[in-house]
Amino acid sequence: EPEVTQTPSHQVTQMGQEVILRCVPISNHLYFYWYRQILGQKVEFLVSFYNNEISEKSEIFDDQFSVERPDGSNFTLKIRSTKLEDSAMYFCASSSLGQGRNTEAFFGQGTRLTVV
Amino acid sequence: AQSVSQHNHHVILSEAASLELGCNYSYGGTVNLFWYVQYPGQHLQLLLKYFSGDPLVKGIKGFEAEFIKSKFSFNLRKPSVQWSDTAEYFCAVTNNAGNMLTFGGGTRLMVKP
């Protein structure tokens, strides 16, 4: 069964450093997402991406965050200058259609980001 | 804005017990509803989904959920749990206009053998 893969599984970084979280969505999917879950809190939507541009983003997704699809397979989330409060599990997801069009998102295993 | 509430944060059951996990959402329009499960160390997997039609939805591994529009609820049920059902369960909703899932806080289920 095709799956979404994320690397690395765990990333430790110093405050103020840039991190890039990587995802390989399912190959024929067109919509890509990032979510995060701070320990003990809800899974929160960050951003959705379609046709090489952001289609929707939450208030969390400020100027410190960016997403990119640098080639035909990878989808990355960059945090420019990490803060302690960025420590969370980051989930990538993909879907064949937009979420509002009766389709489901497939999630990766997540990257646990720890900012020290 | 839509929101999702899961009232049970932790549930402990013995094998063969029946399970019902509550999920309520707040959104006045048409919604799509989902239950995801996350087994220890694994990714979020879809258990079942409701888009339209029969409000009683059957998913994988013997799970089902019932959409009750008047109560804004989408409770998850399983008649007889197994030890392997130990996991965290997330209810989520999206509306037809949006492109994002709104998740509940999750319910951590532990099934004792």
Side-chain angles (χ1 to χ4, degrees):
Chain A
E1 185 179 316
E3 58 181 27
V4 176
T5 57
Q6 290 184 243
T7 54
S9 56
H10 192 188
Q11 173 94 42
V12 181
T13 189
Q14 288 198 322
M15 192 168 53
Q17 294 296 305
E18 174 183 285
V19 293
I20 297 176
L21 309 183
R22 302 180 193 280
C23 169
V24 178
I26 293 173
S27 62
N28 62 346
H29 283 182
L30 301 177
Y31 290 80
F32 315 113
Y33 313 86
W34 283 101
Y35 289 79
R36 79 171 185 190
Q37 186 180 28
I38 295 171
L39 190 63
Q41 298 186 23
K42 292 186 178 186
V43 177
E44 302 171 292
F45 170 79
L46 292 177
V47 66
S48 60
F49 191 86
Y50 169 72
N51 200 26
N52 281 321
E53 60 183 28
I54 292 172
S55 54
E56 200 165 352
K57 61 181 181 179
S58 70
E59 292 175 353
I60 303 167
F61 195 86
D62 61 22
D63 292 343
Q64 292 285 67
F65 291 89
S66 62
V67 288
E68 193 179 28
R69 190 156 161 81
D71 52 43
S73 60
N74 290 286
F75 178 52
T76 61
L77 174 70
K78 182 192 290 186
I79 309 175
R80 287 190 185 80
S81 178
T82 50
K83 303 186 282 271
L84 293 176
E85 53 264 38
D86 293 327
S87 295
M89 180 73 89
Y90 288 80
F91 294 104
C92 175
S94 68
S95 63
S96 54
L97 301 172
Q99 281 283 195
R101 292 173 62 186
N102 293 356
T103 188
E104 64 184 86
F106 292 80
F107 284 80
Q109 289 186 293
T111 293
R112 183 169 296 284
L113 176 65
T114 303
V115 182
V116 296
Chain B
Q2 58 204 32
S3 66
V4 180
S5 297
Q6 292 180 242
H7 308 295
N8 316 101
H9 299 295
H10 290 92
V11 173
I12 301 174
L13 294 173
S14 297
E15 275 195 315
S18 64
L19 170 73
E20 180 159 3
L21 302 182
C23 172
N24 287 90
Y25 67 93
S26 65
Y27 180 70
T30 303
V31 291
N32 299 321
L33 297 154
F34 306 82
W35 275 97
Y36 282 87
V37 60
Q38 187 174 30
Y39 298 103
Q42 296 190 27
H43 59 280
L44 286 162
Q45 300 173 41
L46 185 71
L47 268 181
L48 48 79
K49 60 194 176 192
Y50 172 80
F51 294 145
S52 63
D54 189 344
L56 185 61
V57 178
K58 294 196 183 299
I60 61 171
K61 305 187 182 188
F63 286 90
E64 65 178 32
E66 185 175 11
F67 171 51
I68 303 180
K69 190 174 181 180
S70 61
K71 294 185 178 180
F72 297 90
S73 70
F74 189 57
N75 292 355
L76 180 71
R77 299 194 292 249
K78 185 171 183 178
S80 176
V81 295
Q82 301 171 309
W83 175 78
S84 57
D85 293 324
T86 294
E88 189 156 16
Y89 293 80
F90 296 92
C91 182
V93 63
T94 186
N95 62 51
N96 283 335
N99 218 17
M100 53 176 270
L101 283 163
T102 299
F103 282 87
T107 297
R108 198 174 292 275
L109 172 67
M110 179 183 293
V111 180
K112 298 185 292 185

